[in-house]
Amino acid sequence: MTTTMDEPVDLPLPLDRPEPSPRCGVCAALARQRAEAEAEGDYSKVSDCNIEIREHRSPHRGRRSS
């Protein structure tokens, strides 16, 4: 029987909270859903919304603001 402990787990820092792209209806809707989930204490949904915003924003990169 072994009585030694495993090595400690090294977890990365959480990602920054993504900001929705301005003037994008999809980003705005996701940001509203995230705010509602946060107000309800549903942090799993907050995390899901953050992922969706982060992934949706990628097409916005490289576009010029008008």
Side-chain angles (χ1 to χ4, degrees):
M1 182 155 123
T2 304
T3 58
T4 59
M5 294 181 5
D6 290 336
E7 293 294 319
V9 177
D10 189 21
L11 298 175
L13 292 174
L15 296 173
D16 290 335
R17 181 182 177 113
E19 290 302 318
S21 292
R23 296 179 299 282
C24 174
V26 173
C27 286
L30 289 168
R32 280 192 299 276
Q33 289 176 21
R34 178 176 64 186
E36 291 169 4
E38 197 166 32
E40 295 170 2
D42 186 351
Y43 296 106
S44 176
K45 186 170 182 177
V46 169
S47 179
D48 291 344
C49 290
N50 284 339
I51 291 167
E52 288 191 58
I53 291 170
R54 195 173 289 112
E55 290 179 358
H56 176 76
R57 278 184 47 116
S58 61
H60 298 299
R61 292 189 179 120
R63 290 187 184 176
R64 293 181 9 185
S65 300
S66 49

